[in-house]
Amino acid sequence: MELEGIMEIKVIKKNPIGKKPDGSTLGFGNIFTDHMFNLDYNPEKGWHNARIEPFQKFEFSPATMVLHYGQAIFEGLKAYKNDKKDILLFRVKDNFKRLNNSAKGLCIPELDSDFLIKALHKLLKLEKDWVPEAPGTSLYIRPAIIATDPSIDLRPSETYRYFVILSPVGAYYEGFKPVNIWVSKDYTRAIPGGVGEFKTAGNYAASLFAATEAAENGYNQVLWLDAVEKKYIEEVGSMNIFFVIGDEIVTPKLTGSILPGITRSSVIDLSNNWGFKISERRISIDEILEAHDSGDLKEVFGSGTGVGISPVGKIGLDDTELTINGNKPGELAVKFDEELTGIKLGNREDKFNWVTPVL
Ligand code: COI
């Protein structure tokens, strides 16, 4: 047992440890490291029993609440290894702040984010050899919380499991190749007053049917419109979205039904810092069609932890298909990607104190 100041973290090491994958062939999300972090909650003890242990299966009752009513939240962040073998985390505090915000939205008891960050550092130190080094790779960190009461009564669970698993990953989409997105007119991701702004499992489950339709039409993902007027752009299933119209960079303003992306906020901060004209406002799909027709739609790109900066090459809507910037990555997408990649790897000035080393 080692004392972490707030709570002890027990460590049970795996022996023997697993073989690390070849960094140059990594896909997304199917390989996991040797160890995971676990923490339990019950009303008597609060959050307790912090432990790092071998990555292993959960054993739960088939009645476990999360399996029936989806009371589950998660986060996604990444650790990067640079040429000097430093391991760096990007905006870790913001992820844990968002985790607590999602917890509140899903009636899950709040967690001490400073403790969770300490625990993450400890886990990463143990798993440092799993952080890949090949260009475009990273160690994806997935903290999650699930409701664990063995009951099918519909109410907030009284017990929970918080856990963190780690996955060495390559590009989410095919490198920096532009993706194609499909405007869904028939389906809705999230509604005003709903849970769209929380990182809850159900939002992602709700995106699958439309994403399948998009794939059947040859597109990588869905571009969601607002639920009420089916007019205003919200986000893409896997990322927030930016448009460059004339000299203005525009992203949908956060209305409660859009995920407050951390990469989204980084693009906004960088734009302001560079003196670019950036607006968070409502953008209708008609405005995009018109901007495309008039030649004002210069580029479109998405942002997310998984995808990083992802140029958009085509937008499909009914029988119309807009080709953006000749289906090539735009100048600004490249600039944001290079700057963010540079900051994450410690190769560019970290003006905003976004990066923390894992020591
Ligand atoms: C992330 O970008 O971290 C997410 O959680 C989105 C997921 C589809 C990979």
PDB file of all heavy atoms in Angstrom, residues 28 74 76 140 142 172 199 204 305-306, ligand 1:
ATOM      1  N   PHE A  28      -7.549   1.798 -33.616  1.00  0.00           N
ATOM      2  CA  PHE A  28      -8.133   2.547 -32.497  1.00  0.00           C
ATOM      3  C   PHE A  28      -8.969   1.661 -31.587  1.00  0.00           C
ATOM      4  O   PHE A  28      -9.993   1.109 -32.014  1.00  0.00           O
ATOM      5  CB  PHE A  28      -9.007   3.708 -32.996  1.00  0.00           C
ATOM      6  CG  PHE A  28      -9.424   4.617 -31.865  1.00  0.00           C
ATOM      7  CD1 PHE A  28      -8.652   5.724 -31.525  1.00  0.00           C
ATOM      8  CD2 PHE A  28     -10.565   4.346 -31.118  1.00  0.00           C
ATOM      9  CE1 PHE A  28      -9.011   6.537 -30.459  1.00  0.00           C
ATOM     10  CE2 PHE A  28     -10.934   5.167 -30.046  1.00  0.00           C
ATOM     11  CZ  PHE A  28     -10.148   6.263 -29.730  1.00  0.00           C
ATOM     12  N   PHE A  74     -18.372   8.685 -19.207  1.00  0.00           N
ATOM     13  CA  PHE A  74     -16.964   8.387 -19.456  1.00  0.00           C
ATOM     14  C   PHE A  74     -16.227   9.630 -19.894  1.00  0.00           C
ATOM     15  O   PHE A  74     -16.833  10.685 -20.099  1.00  0.00           O
ATOM     16  CB  PHE A  74     -16.812   7.236 -20.459  1.00  0.00           C
ATOM     17  CG  PHE A  74     -17.282   7.535 -21.856  1.00  0.00           C
ATOM     18  CD1 PHE A  74     -16.397   7.968 -22.813  1.00  0.00           C
ATOM     19  CD2 PHE A  74     -18.611   7.369 -22.227  1.00  0.00           C
ATOM     20  CE1 PHE A  74     -16.809   8.239 -24.111  1.00  0.00           C
ATOM     21  CE2 PHE A  74     -19.035   7.631 -23.526  1.00  0.00           C
ATOM     22  CZ  PHE A  74     -18.134   8.066 -24.459  1.00  0.00           C
ATOM     23  N   GLY A  76     -12.455  10.828 -22.271  1.00  0.00           N
ATOM     24  CA  GLY A  76     -11.421  10.369 -23.199  1.00  0.00           C
ATOM     25  C   GLY A  76     -10.312  11.398 -23.195  1.00  0.00           C
ATOM     26  O   GLY A  76     -10.571  12.586 -23.376  1.00  0.00           O
ATOM     27  N   TYR A 140      -4.494   6.222 -25.409  1.00  0.00           N
ATOM     28  CA  TYR A 140      -5.839   6.747 -25.132  1.00  0.00           C
ATOM     29  C   TYR A 140      -6.249   6.298 -23.732  1.00  0.00           C
ATOM     30  O   TYR A 140      -6.096   5.134 -23.365  1.00  0.00           O
ATOM     31  CB  TYR A 140      -6.830   6.214 -26.173  1.00  0.00           C
ATOM     32  CG  TYR A 140      -8.204   6.847 -26.060  1.00  0.00           C
ATOM     33  CD1 TYR A 140      -8.501   8.041 -26.717  1.00  0.00           C
ATOM     34  CD2 TYR A 140      -9.201   6.268 -25.286  1.00  0.00           C
ATOM     35  CE1 TYR A 140      -9.749   8.635 -26.605  1.00  0.00           C
ATOM     36  CE2 TYR A 140     -10.450   6.851 -25.172  1.00  0.00           C
ATOM     37  CZ  TYR A 140     -10.716   8.032 -25.834  1.00  0.00           C
ATOM     38  OH  TYR A 140     -11.958   8.619 -25.721  1.00  0.00           O
ATOM     39  N   ARG A 142      -9.221   6.003 -20.961  1.00  0.00           N
ATOM     40  CA  ARG A 142     -10.686   5.969 -20.872  1.00  0.00           C
ATOM     41  C   ARG A 142     -11.136   5.789 -19.417  1.00  0.00           C
ATOM     42  O   ARG A 142     -11.228   4.680 -18.911  1.00  0.00           O
ATOM     43  CB  ARG A 142     -11.202   4.825 -21.756  1.00  0.00           C
ATOM     44  CG  ARG A 142     -12.692   4.489 -21.659  1.00  0.00           C
ATOM     45  CD  ARG A 142     -13.607   5.656 -21.851  1.00  0.00           C
ATOM     46  NE  ARG A 142     -13.542   6.381 -23.100  1.00  0.00           N
ATOM     47  CZ  ARG A 142     -14.170   6.047 -24.229  1.00  0.00           C
ATOM     48  NH1 ARG A 142     -14.895   4.967 -24.289  1.00  0.00           N
ATOM     49  NH2 ARG A 142     -14.079   6.825 -25.294  1.00  0.00           N
ATOM     50  N   TYR A 172      -7.698   7.769 -35.500  1.00  0.00           N
ATOM     51  CA  TYR A 172      -9.095   7.337 -35.378  1.00  0.00           C
ATOM     52  C   TYR A 172      -9.670   7.104 -36.777  1.00  0.00           C
ATOM     53  O   TYR A 172     -10.240   6.065 -37.058  1.00  0.00           O
ATOM     54  CB  TYR A 172      -9.899   8.425 -34.657  1.00  0.00           C
ATOM     55  CG  TYR A 172     -11.296   7.975 -34.302  1.00  0.00           C
ATOM     56  CD1 TYR A 172     -11.530   7.236 -33.150  1.00  0.00           C
ATOM     57  CD2 TYR A 172     -12.378   8.272 -35.129  1.00  0.00           C
ATOM     58  CE1 TYR A 172     -12.804   6.809 -32.825  1.00  0.00           C
ATOM     59  CE2 TYR A 172     -13.647   7.850 -34.800  1.00  0.00           C
ATOM     60  CZ  TYR A 172     -13.854   7.122 -33.658  1.00  0.00           C
ATOM     61  OH  TYR A 172     -15.114   6.693 -33.345  1.00  0.00           O
ATOM     62  N   LYS A 199     -21.097  13.506 -21.083  1.00  0.00           N
ATOM     63  CA  LYS A 199     -20.453  12.426 -21.837  1.00  0.00           C
ATOM     64  C   LYS A 199     -21.000  11.116 -21.285  1.00  0.00           C
ATOM     65  O   LYS A 199     -20.365  10.430 -20.485  1.00  0.00           O
ATOM     66  CB  LYS A 199     -18.918  12.546 -21.721  1.00  0.00           C
ATOM     67  CG  LYS A 199     -18.221  11.976 -22.954  1.00  0.00           C
ATOM     68  CD  LYS A 199     -16.813  12.486 -23.069  1.00  0.00           C
ATOM     69  CE  LYS A 199     -16.012  11.705 -24.104  1.00  0.00           C
ATOM     70  NZ  LYS A 199     -16.417  11.902 -25.481  1.00  0.00           N
ATOM     71  N   TYR A 204     -23.913   8.117 -27.245  1.00  0.00           N
ATOM     72  CA  TYR A 204     -23.153   7.438 -28.307  1.00  0.00           C
ATOM     73  C   TYR A 204     -23.989   6.293 -28.880  1.00  0.00           C
ATOM     74  O   TYR A 204     -23.990   6.064 -30.090  1.00  0.00           O
ATOM     75  CB  TYR A 204     -21.788   6.985 -27.753  1.00  0.00           C
ATOM     76  CG  TYR A 204     -20.941   8.206 -27.440  1.00  0.00           C
ATOM     77  CD1 TYR A 204     -21.141   8.935 -26.267  1.00  0.00           C
ATOM     78  CD2 TYR A 204     -20.018   8.690 -28.358  1.00  0.00           C
ATOM     79  CE1 TYR A 204     -20.425  10.098 -26.006  1.00  0.00           C
ATOM     80  CE2 TYR A 204     -19.292   9.845 -28.102  1.00  0.00           C
ATOM     81  CZ  TYR A 204     -19.506  10.551 -26.920  1.00  0.00           C
ATOM     82  OH  TYR A 204     -18.794  11.712 -26.681  1.00  0.00           O
ATOM     83  N   THR A 305     -10.913  14.462 -28.955  1.00  0.00           N
ATOM     84  CA  THR A 305      -9.721  13.807 -28.414  1.00  0.00           C
ATOM     85  C   THR A 305      -9.332  12.633 -29.296  1.00  0.00           C
ATOM     86  O   THR A 305      -8.177  12.483 -29.680  1.00  0.00           O
ATOM     87  CB  THR A 305      -9.994  13.331 -26.975  1.00  0.00           C
ATOM     88  OG1 THR A 305     -10.283  14.472 -26.199  1.00  0.00           O
ATOM     89  CG2 THR A 305      -8.790  12.605 -26.400  1.00  0.00           C
ATOM     90  N   GLY A 306     -10.327  11.804 -29.616  1.00  0.00           N
ATOM     91  CA  GLY A 306     -10.055  10.635 -30.445  1.00  0.00           C
ATOM     92  C   GLY A 306      -9.518  11.037 -31.803  1.00  0.00           C
ATOM     93  O   GLY A 306      -8.471  10.549 -32.251  1.00  0.00           O
TER      94      GLY A 306
HETATM   95  C1  COI B   1     -13.157  10.956 -27.762  1.00  0.00           C
HETATM   96  O1  COI B   1     -12.900  11.661 -28.740  1.00  0.00           O
HETATM   97  O2  COI B   1     -12.349  10.837 -26.822  1.00  0.00           O
HETATM   98  C2  COI B   1     -14.437  10.272 -27.623  1.00  0.00           C
HETATM   99  O3  COI B   1     -14.797   9.913 -26.524  1.00  0.00           O
HETATM  100  C3  COI B   1     -15.204   9.952 -28.834  1.00  0.00           C
HETATM  101  C4  COI B   1     -15.168   8.484 -29.120  1.00  0.00           C
HETATM  102  C5  COI B   1     -16.093   8.207 -30.283  1.00  0.00           C
HETATM  103  C6  COI B   1     -13.776   7.983 -29.385  1.00  0.00           C
END
